[in-house]
Amino acid sequence: MIDYRTDPTDGVVEFTIDGPITKPEYDRVVAEIDGAIARFGKLRLIEIVKDIGAIDSSIWWPDLKWAAKHLNHIARCAVVTDKGWIGAITRAAAAVLAAEIRVFALADVAEARAWVRERP
């Protein structure tokens, strides 16, 4: 399940992953994010990962292509999770990506939201 929210005034997008992800859900969220990119140019993201269930295999390749196309549209990204392996992958990716990326614990979601809203 993906819960998606955007602030229509400042380009902050927040989504929560908590369970399996279906192709229709993924497509809906990507369309929303594409719309936010069209409105704001660069986004600031808050990705809250509580639990990851099964992910529809038809999502993997389109998601990699989408991410490669939109790397320059992300200014800041806070990944909020208690899943250690997600934090490790995120920190590794942050070393080579242009966006500012930080990992926060679920208990620190308010701090993550504040950090994303700060202007770099």
Side-chain angles (χ1 to χ4, degrees):
M1 184 222 45
I2 304 174
D3 178 40
Y4 173 90
R5 286 179 265 156
T6 187
D7 184 328
T9 63
D10 69 359
V12 173
V13 170
E14 179 175 322
F15 59 93
T16 301
I17 298 171
D18 192 9
I21 300 171
T22 65
K23 178 87 165 97
E25 239 177 357
Y26 169 82
D27 290 341
R28 177 183 52 81
V29 170
V30 167
E32 293 281 348
I33 293 173
D34 284 343
I37 289 170
R39 281 192 305 276
F40 299 105
K42 284 200 173 224
L43 301 180
R44 289 168 287 138
L45 301 177
I46 303 162
E47 300 177 27
I48 301 169
V49 182
K50 293 181 178 179
D51 188 33
I52 293 184
I55 299 174
D56 186 321
S57 62
S58 67
I59 294 170
W60 292 106
W61 183 243
D63 188 54
L64 286 172
K65 291 191 308 186
W66 184 91
K69 179 181 175 184
H70 293 293
L71 285 176
N72 293 325
H73 295 118
I74 309 300
R76 272 192 168 180
C77 180
V79 177
V80 183
T81 187
D82 286 341
K83 305 280 183 204
W85 65 272
I86 293 172
I89 291 170
T90 301
R91 286 182 194 88
V96 297
L97 298 175
E100 290 182 81
I101 303 171
R102 285 185 51 192
V103 177
F104 296 84
L106 286 174
D108 299 325
V109 68
E111 181 184 344
R113 288 176 176 137
W115 177 77
V116 162
R117 289 185 180 281
E118 289 174 7
R119 296 289 176 177

